[in-house]
Amino acid sequence: SYALSTGTLINGVTLGDIRPAVIKFANNPVIEPMLSSWDINQQIYNGFPGADPSITIDPRDACKLFGLNCTLGFLAPAAYFLIHRFPEDFEKAVLNSINAGGNQMARAALTGGLSGAMVGIQWIPKRFIIGLNDHERLLNLAEKIADTESQITRIAS
């Protein structure tokens, strides 16, 4: 689900349209055998609680509710919540993930991957990028991933 969601976002699908796009990918005969179960495709969609402005849960509290444990099944929903809550703000999504406690390193990585796929590299603060060891090599890898995702989209369509 996470990989499908990230790939879909890299290819420009909005959060409002992500559920049908992920389901379309999941139904592709090339991708379907790689999925462990059908229900993983239902994890991210435009009705997710973080997208509802009437839900006033503090993002750090949301992470404490369903994002402290180390397993992906707990961390991914917290990451999905944060990208819905901050769909256009990479920094807020990632920093709220980091400040929530628990396994913040893994949760922030998941959140950053999804948020970065949504907003694009141009909206990730430069200090977050150049502060990484070997950042130029990592940027090249990110470009290759985006190109590969585009190729997969063409195959799956």
Side-chain angles (χ1 to χ4, degrees), residues 4 6 8 18 23 25 46-47 72 83 102 110 112 114-115 120 129 131 143:
L4 289 175
T6 304
T8 302
I18 196 165
I23 289 171
F25 268 131
N46 60 344
L72 187 60
I83 64 161
L110 294 172
L114 289 166
S115 184
I129 297 170
E143 287 179 26

Short mmCIF file of all heavy atoms in Angstrom, two decimals, residues 4 6 8 18 23 25 46-47 72 83 102 110 112 114-115 120 129 131 143:
data_model
loop_
_atom_site.label_atom_id
_atom_site.label_comp_id
_atom_site.label_asym_id
_atom_site.label_seq_id
_atom_site.Cartn_x
_atom_site.Cartn_y
_atom_site.Cartn_z
N LEU A 4 2.55 1.64 -3.43
CA LEU A 4 1.55 2.04 -4.42
C LEU A 4 1.15 3.50 -4.22
O LEU A 4 1.02 4.26 -5.17
CB LEU A 4 0.32 1.15 -4.36
CG LEU A 4 0.48 -0.28 -4.85
CD1 LEU A 4 -0.81 -1.07 -4.59
CD2 LEU A 4 0.84 -0.33 -6.31
N THR A 6 2.91 5.92 -2.71
CA THR A 6 4.02 6.80 -3.05
C THR A 6 4.18 6.93 -4.56
O THR A 6 4.32 8.03 -5.10
CB THR A 6 5.33 6.30 -2.41
OG1 THR A 6 5.13 6.17 -1.00
CG2 THR A 6 6.47 7.27 -2.66
N THR A 8 1.94 6.48 -6.83
CA THR A 8 0.80 7.21 -7.37
C THR A 8 0.99 8.71 -7.17
O THR A 8 0.75 9.51 -8.08
CB THR A 8 -0.50 6.71 -6.71
OG1 THR A 8 -0.61 5.31 -6.93
CG2 THR A 8 -1.72 7.38 -7.27
N ILE A 18 -6.59 9.59 -5.00
CA ILE A 18 -5.63 8.52 -4.78
C ILE A 18 -6.27 7.14 -4.65
O ILE A 18 -5.73 6.15 -5.15
CB ILE A 18 -4.71 8.81 -3.58
CG1 ILE A 18 -3.50 7.87 -3.64
CG2 ILE A 18 -5.45 8.72 -2.26
CD1 ILE A 18 -2.36 8.27 -2.76
N ILE A 23 -6.25 1.55 -6.36
CA ILE A 23 -7.02 0.33 -6.68
C ILE A 23 -6.75 -0.09 -8.12
O ILE A 23 -6.59 -1.28 -8.41
CB ILE A 23 -8.52 0.57 -6.41
CG1 ILE A 23 -8.75 0.66 -4.89
CG2 ILE A 23 -9.37 -0.54 -7.03
CD1 ILE A 23 -10.13 1.09 -4.50
N PHE A 25 -3.98 0.40 -9.84
CA PHE A 25 -2.67 -0.24 -9.80
C PHE A 25 -2.77 -1.65 -9.23
O PHE A 25 -2.19 -2.60 -9.76
CB PHE A 25 -1.70 0.55 -8.92
CG PHE A 25 -0.88 1.57 -9.64
CD1 PHE A 25 -0.80 2.86 -9.13
CD2 PHE A 25 -0.18 1.26 -10.78
CE1 PHE A 25 -0.03 3.82 -9.77
CE2 PHE A 25 0.59 2.21 -11.42
CZ PHE A 25 0.66 3.50 -10.91
N ASN A 46 -9.21 9.80 0.25
CA ASN A 46 -9.56 11.18 0.56
C ASN A 46 -10.51 11.32 1.75
O ASN A 46 -10.72 12.42 2.21
CB ASN A 46 -10.13 11.89 -0.67
CG ASN A 46 -11.39 11.25 -1.18
OD1 ASN A 46 -11.70 10.11 -0.84
ND2 ASN A 46 -12.10 11.95 -2.02
N GLY A 47 -11.06 10.23 2.27
CA GLY A 47 -11.90 10.30 3.46
C GLY A 47 -11.12 10.05 4.73
O GLY A 47 -11.68 9.91 5.80
N LEU A 72 5.07 -1.46 10.42
CA LEU A 72 4.55 -0.63 9.34
C LEU A 72 3.04 -0.44 9.45
O LEU A 72 2.52 0.63 9.15
CB LEU A 72 4.91 -1.25 7.99
CG LEU A 72 4.59 -0.44 6.75
CD1 LEU A 72 5.33 0.88 6.77
CD2 LEU A 72 4.92 -1.21 5.50
N ILE A 83 0.12 13.46 6.12
CA ILE A 83 0.10 14.05 4.77
C ILE A 83 -1.27 14.60 4.42
O ILE A 83 -1.39 15.53 3.63
CB ILE A 83 0.61 13.09 3.68
CG1 ILE A 83 -0.30 11.89 3.52
CG2 ILE A 83 2.05 12.71 3.94
CD1 ILE A 83 -0.12 11.16 2.21
N GLY A 102 7.86 8.04 20.16
CA GLY A 102 7.77 6.68 19.64
C GLY A 102 8.83 6.46 18.58
O GLY A 102 9.92 7.01 18.65
N LEU A 110 8.65 7.58 6.47
CA LEU A 110 7.44 7.27 5.70
C LEU A 110 6.69 8.54 5.34
O LEU A 110 6.25 8.73 4.21
CB LEU A 110 6.53 6.33 6.49
CG LEU A 110 7.06 4.93 6.76
CD1 LEU A 110 6.14 4.19 7.73
CD2 LEU A 110 7.21 4.15 5.47
N GLY A 112 7.88 11.61 5.18
CA GLY A 112 8.68 12.39 4.23
C GLY A 112 8.61 11.84 2.83
O GLY A 112 8.55 12.59 1.86
N LEU A 114 6.10 10.11 1.45
CA LEU A 114 4.78 10.42 0.89
C LEU A 114 4.64 11.92 0.60
O LEU A 114 4.20 12.32 -0.47
CB LEU A 114 3.68 9.98 1.85
CG LEU A 114 3.47 8.48 1.99
CD1 LEU A 114 2.60 8.17 3.21
CD2 LEU A 114 2.82 7.91 0.73
N SER A 115 5.03 12.73 1.58
CA SER A 115 4.89 14.17 1.40
C SER A 115 5.78 14.68 0.27
O SER A 115 5.36 15.50 -0.55
CB SER A 115 5.22 14.90 2.71
OG SER A 115 5.01 16.28 2.57
N GLY A 120 6.83 17.44 -4.34
CA GLY A 120 7.97 17.55 -5.24
C GLY A 120 9.19 18.11 -4.52
O GLY A 120 9.09 18.77 -3.48
N ILE A 129 17.81 18.86 2.66
CA ILE A 129 18.51 18.09 1.62
C ILE A 129 20.02 18.21 1.77
O ILE A 129 20.72 17.19 1.86
CB ILE A 129 18.06 18.56 0.21
CG1 ILE A 129 16.57 18.28 0.03
CG2 ILE A 129 18.90 17.88 -0.87
CD1 ILE A 129 15.97 18.92 -1.20
N GLY A 131 21.72 18.99 4.22
CA GLY A 131 22.18 18.49 5.52
C GLY A 131 22.42 16.99 5.53
O GLY A 131 22.98 16.45 6.49
N GLU A 143 15.81 10.97 -8.35
CA GLU A 143 15.42 11.20 -9.75
C GLU A 143 15.19 9.86 -10.46
O GLU A 143 14.23 9.73 -11.23
CB GLU A 143 16.48 12.01 -10.48
CG GLU A 143 16.50 13.47 -10.08
CD GLU A 143 17.59 14.25 -10.80
OE1 GLU A 143 18.00 13.85 -11.91
OE2 GLU A 143 18.03 15.27 -10.24
#
